[in-house]
């Protein structure tokens, strides 16, 4: 038998309103977002907007592992004026 629906999908912090746009909305804590994702049965997530997770991969890994989730390979590119930011993690 194949994987269940929740084993085949990942969620992203944007689904909880986490956005890189200044003053877009309330920035919920990492712990709250991961706890709610996990509570819904979501097993994997994307990194999300720059600044949501810490910059150090070891710290990101600790958050993800403590929530019993996995982080999908993710890359994020955004344009703030003329500057481009690119963030890539593969835990």
């Amino acid at each position: 038998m194949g994987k269940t629906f929740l084993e085949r999908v990942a969620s992203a912090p944007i689904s909880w309103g986490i956005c890189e746009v200044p003053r877009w909305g309330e920035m919920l804590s990492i712990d709250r977002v991961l706890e709610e994702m996990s509570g819904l049965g979501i097993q994997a997530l994307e990194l999300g907007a720059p600044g949501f997770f810490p910059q150090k991969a070891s710290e990101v890994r600790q958050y993800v592992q403590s929530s019993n989730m996995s982080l999908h390979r993710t890359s994020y590119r955004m344009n703030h004026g003329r500057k481009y930011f690119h963030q890539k993690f593969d835990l």
Side-chain angles (χ1 to χ4, degrees), residues 28-72:
L28 303 175
S29 72
I30 298 169
D31 293 325
R32 178 176 172 181
V33 172
L34 295 182
E35 181 180 319
E36 290 182 8
M37 282 182 180
S38 181
L40 290 170
I42 297 167
Q43 299 174 15
L45 70 143
E46 294 178 357
L47 189 57
F52 178 63
F53 276 107
Q55 292 296 308
K56 291 184 177 182
S58 61
E59 293 176 15
V60 175
R61 185 180 304 112
Q62 186 176 1
Y63 274 110
V64 173
Q65 289 176 344
S66 69
S67 65
N68 294 316
M69 298 178 78
S70 63
L71 181 67
H72 277 241

Side-chain angles (χ1 to χ4, degrees), residues 2-3 10 13 16-18 21 23 25-27 29 35 37-38 41 45 49 53-54 71-74 86 91:
K3 292 182 176 184
W16 273 255
I18 306 303
V21 177
R23 297 177 303 282
E26 181 181 355
M27 285 288 276
S29 72
E35 181 180 319
M37 282 182 180
S38 181
L45 70 143
F53 276 107
L71 181 67
H72 277 241
R73 184 174 210 186
T74 184
H86 189 75
L91 301 178

